[in-house]
Amino acid sequence: DDSLFVYNCVNAEKTTSGDKGQDGKPTDKGSDDILAFGFSPSGDYFALTDDSKRLILFRTKPSWECVSIRSVTRRCTSLVISAAEDKILIADKSGDVYSYSITEPQADGKLELGHLSLVLDVALSPNDRYIVTADRDEKIRVSLAKAPYSIVSYCLGHREFVTKILVIPNYPDLLLSASGDSTLRLWEYKSGEEVYCCHLSSICGPETTKTDQKYPVSRITYCCQGGYVAIVCDCASTVYVFQLDATARQVVYRQQISLKHKVWDIAFEETGDLWIFQEDSESPLQLYRLCDGQWKVDT
């Protein structure tokens, strides 16, 4: 079926906010802006949260349909669906992580863990055994998924807020993290050991003459075939490509892709082709293919 599925959050059912003012009424209704979203590993489910504190779950097969609309306590910063595709984990601005059932799509959320700081990203290991959370106060925390109060380790080393974390799918003992301190770091996260650190300021081009320039990473994508890693820094028009050397436990810089417009998002295909979504009304989506060791735009 080639028909396009369109869902407008403006028309979605409104939920009751969990945040109330002194008069007992909701503090604000919020907008319908989407704050976080994600597919399940198989692609059978898709979930999003918006500024009106709604968690909306979709089933994608055999055709797209909205399964449920639930209220979340606070606005969310990150969302991930488990490998077993039985629950959604969301992190919010108060530093809490809640889980929401997929098998019981109307059930309320369950508090799993909390930080004393804003949680900026949440990830799961490929076997759903570990929950990894990153916060504004430089910390990466590794917890047991079945007992989130049990902390396995802390990955400490970043000097600024941690923006993105990624457990590497085909090397599930390794974790990539990026931070406002302009570094991309590789960890053996179960022990909390940092095994490699790349200073982005050393590769980010002529603008690095500004010694106080920071490069907080807004997106990370990974391709198992070849071990390629691509990142985008906040409000930047450049994509940086690296390659994971799992044996040497390091990340090697490969290429810089410069565009004319700010990059919003990036995604690798399984083949290594790289999609780039940019702030350009005429050509928002571009495909780059790997050719002779370099990614070149597919015209």
Side-chain angles (χ1 to χ4, degrees):
D1 185 359
D2 293 330
S3 61
L4 182 66
F5 175 80
V6 178
Y7 187 90
N8 192 340
C9 286
V10 173
N11 301 323
E13 171 189 345
K14 301 296 180 183
T15 60
T16 303
S17 171
D19 293 343
K20 296 183 178 181
Q22 294 180 349
D23 57 1
K25 296 180 180 180
T27 53
D28 65 279
K29 294 182 179 180
S31 71
D32 298 299
D33 293 346
I34 295 171
L35 302 180
F37 62 88
F39 279 98
S40 66
S42 72
D44 288 355
Y45 294 96
F46 179 81
L48 67 84
T49 63
D50 67 8
D51 193 55
S52 291
K53 303 174 191 173
R54 291 173 296 197
L55 172 63
I56 306 178
L57 174 64
F58 300 88
R59 186 181 293 110
T60 67
K61 298 175 183 177
S63 60
W64 280 71
E65 63 173 320
C66 178
V67 176
S68 68
I69 301 174
R70 284 174 278 191
S71 175
V72 298
T73 304
R74 294 176 181 87
R75 291 177 177 85
C76 301
T77 56
S78 181
L79 176 155
V80 65
I81 296 177
S82 63
E85 303 192 350
D86 59 348
K87 63 183 177 181
I88 307 162
L89 288 181
I90 59 171
D92 67 31
K93 292 188 174 183
S94 68
D96 293 328
V97 175
Y98 285 82
S99 65
Y100 288 81
S101 174
I102 290 178
T103 54
E104 298 179 42
Q106 305 298 334
D108 292 336
K110 174 187 175 184
L111 178 63
E112 297 287 353
L113 60 90
H115 283 231
L116 295 176
S117 177
L118 172 67
V119 176
L120 296 177
D121 204 7
V122 59
L124 284 165
S125 61
N127 59 4
D128 287 339
R129 186 174 181 184
Y130 300 100
I131 302 174
V132 188
T133 45
D135 70 23
R136 187 174 56 185
D137 290 339
E138 310 159 12
K139 298 190 302 299
I140 300 171
R141 172 177 158 182
V142 183
S143 309
L144 285 176
K146 291 187 176 180
Y149 51 82
S150 178
I151 300 173
V152 177
S153 68
Y154 283 101
C155 300
L156 303 177
H158 282 297
R159 297 174 182 269
E160 294 276 359
F161 52 92
V162 183
T163 54
K164 287 293 174 183
I165 50 177
L166 172 72
V167 180
I168 299 175
N170 53 336
Y171 296 99
D173 293 333
L174 296 177
L175 173 80
L176 276 172
S177 68
S179 164
D181 64 7
S182 303
T183 63
L184 180 68
R185 299 180 191 239
L186 186 66
W187 308 82
E188 291 182 353
Y189 63 93
K190 296 174 191 176
S191 64
E193 180 186 358
E194 179 186 310
V195 294
Y196 188 75
C197 176
C198 172
H199 291 272
L200 300 177
S201 56
S202 66
I203 62 170
C204 284
E207 65 270 24
T208 56
T209 53
K210 301 177 182 178
T211 55
D212 60 344
Q213 180 72 42
K214 294 181 180 180
Y215 302 91
V217 172
S218 58
R219 294 288 187 271
I220 296 180
T221 182
Y222 177 78
C223 178
C224 292
Q225 185 173 318
Y228 297 110
V229 179
I231 66 169
V232 175
C233 295
D234 191 33
C235 298
S237 58
T238 306
V239 177
Y240 301 95
V241 183
F242 302 81
Q243 189 170 20
L244 172 69
D245 185 339
T247 303
R249 290 295 199 261
Q250 64 180 7
V251 180
V252 181
Y253 172 63
R254 291 299 186 200
Q255 184 182 350
Q256 173 178 317
I257 302 173
S258 297
L259 297 103
K260 295 180 180 180
H261 304 275
K262 183 173 71 175
V263 178
W264 280 337
D265 209 348
I266 51 176
F268 272 119
E269 288 189 0
E270 293 179 358
T271 58
D273 293 345
L274 178 63
W275 290 96
I276 299 177
F277 187 41
Q278 61 178 344
E279 191 178 32
D280 179 10
S281 58
E282 294 184 1
S283 180
L285 194 60
Q286 290 194 346
L287 177 64
Y288 280 73
R289 296 188 185 276
L290 184 60
C291 180
D292 298 327
Q294 294 285 299
W295 276 263
K296 299 177 182 179
V297 65
D298 181 24
T299 56

